[in-house]
Amino acid sequence: MQIESTRLGTIEIDKDRIINFPQGIPGFLEEKQFVLIPMGEDNPFFFLHSVTNKDLSFIVIEPHIFFRDYELMLSEELIESLSIDKPEDVAIYTIVTIKDDIKKATTNLQAPIVVNAVKLVAKQYILNDSQYLTRQPLFPQKSNTDEVAVTNEASMSGSGAKEE
Amino acid sequence: MLVLSRKKNQAIRIGEDIEISILSIEGDTVKIGIEAPKKVSILRKELIEEVADANRESAGATVDLKDFKLDK
């Protein structure tokens, strides 16, 4: 089927890949159906695009690509409400926030989108007491540019830090 | 909205299986205890608003990422 997208124009989507968010998404509770659209080959970003609202798409990533140690415990209630049968059925995405500069992009590790990839039901699951941030920088600031790295080095030697 | 006054160690019941007790009051901070079935989601409201704000910002992003490649 085809959907309209302000960002992408008219796009063809597979209606068997529509993901249902029975409770919507915080800030957009009336939006219940989305599709994942990869931005490109070797590109870690996806659009999570509303099926019914052409203006609405989020930028999401698979958090493990950026944060290898990222882990979360799914509550029994979540497992039940998404009808999850086994761990391999679960896919996790996190929403990315970008103002103007991609280097300053952040992602919400405290409220991952948990998807039952078999039954195509999902929820943005807010972790209550989380060690993770709602705005975790995607890219470590010091490796952004040489200039920033130099500044870091200078401040480290100034503070008496030893070289590794 | 229903408004009730409660003192320390008093509680209220909501429905059959939710109980909210006032554990302590210090200055402008009230510590409350909540007993509720597991299926009831309990979250600090400001956290939900923070998530909604981040979501709205993500939806409003205008940066073009289609040529982005991850450095391996």
Side-chain angles (χ1 to χ4, degrees):
Chain A
M1 64 181 275
Q2 285 188 335
I3 62 167
E4 293 300 320
S5 164
T6 307
R7 264 197 232 259
L8 303 168
T10 303
I11 46 175
E12 182 68 34
I13 61 159
D14 182 349
K15 70 177 188 329
D16 298 329
R17 299 305 302 163
I18 292 174
I19 303 169
N20 295 287
F21 288 72
Q23 298 160 16
I25 289 182
F28 303 90
L29 297 179
E30 67 294 348
E31 299 289 341
K32 318 272 190 195
Q33 293 197 309
F34 289 83
V35 277
L36 269 172
I37 304 166
M39 289 201 196
E41 216 172 301
D42 295 328
N43 186 321
F45 297 102
F46 298 79
F47 288 114
L48 182 65
H49 203 296
S50 167
V51 172
T52 49
N53 180 347
K54 67 182 166 66
D55 294 324
L56 181 62
S57 58
F58 304 102
I59 299 163
V60 303
I61 52 165
E62 294 171 284
H64 298 94
I65 307 264
F66 289 85
F67 306 98
R68 260 169 223 198
D69 300 330
Y70 181 61
E71 56 182 18
L72 67 148
M73 184 67 84
L74 307 185
S75 68
E76 279 172 43
E77 301 64 58
L78 182 73
I79 291 170
E80 200 174 302
S81 74
L82 297 182
S83 310
I84 296 166
D85 294 325
K86 47 187 193 299
E88 26 320 2
D89 296 351
V90 177
I92 308 278
Y93 298 90
T94 56
I95 295 185
V96 174
T97 299
I98 302 178
K99 282 233 173 80
D100 323 297
D101 183 357
I102 184 169
K103 289 173 193 155
K104 292 185 185 149
T106 64
T107 194
N108 188 346
L109 294 184
Q110 194 173 358
I113 291 173
V114 179
V115 184
N116 180 334
V118 175
K119 294 178 181 147
L120 298 168
V121 211
K123 179 182 177 170
Q124 187 170 22
Y125 179 50
I126 304 178
L127 305 171
N128 216 334
D129 284 305
S130 171
Q131 52 178 319
Y132 298 115
L133 303 174
T134 55
R135 290 170 193 264
Q136 170 69 45
L138 268 191
F139 306 104
Q141 292 303 304
K142 60 181 177 185
S143 63
N144 274 350
T145 63
D146 289 347
E147 197 185 317
V148 176
V150 169
T151 316
N152 272 1
E153 217 170 83
S155 67
M156 273 176 74
S157 58
S159 65
K162 292 199 172 69
E163 274 186 46
E164 293 282 325
Chain B
M1 180 194 277
L2 172 66
V3 179
L4 292 173
S5 293
R6 298 277 65 194
K7 295 195 164 80
K8 193 180 155 187
N9 295 327
Q10 292 185 327
I12 50 173
R13 264 294 175 91
I14 301 174
E16 296 284 301
D17 42 20
I18 298 177
E19 188 165 305
I20 297 176
S21 341
I22 308 304
L23 303 178
S24 70
I25 305 164
E26 276 174 46
D28 59 0
T29 303
V30 179
K31 191 175 276 180
I32 56 179
I34 304 165
E35 280 183 71
K38 275 187 171 180
K39 68 173 190 297
V40 176
S41 155
I42 301 166
L43 291 165
R44 293 174 183 83
K45 188 177 174 186
E46 63 270 25
L47 178 58
I48 302 172
E49 282 164 1
E50 205 179 307
V51 170
D53 280 348
N55 288 352
R56 280 189 278 263
E57 244 176 74
S58 179
T62 51
V63 177
D64 188 355
L65 298 169
K66 75 176 189 304
D67 295 324
F68 182 86
K69 299 263 187 267
L70 202 58
D71 297 331
K72 295 276 173 172

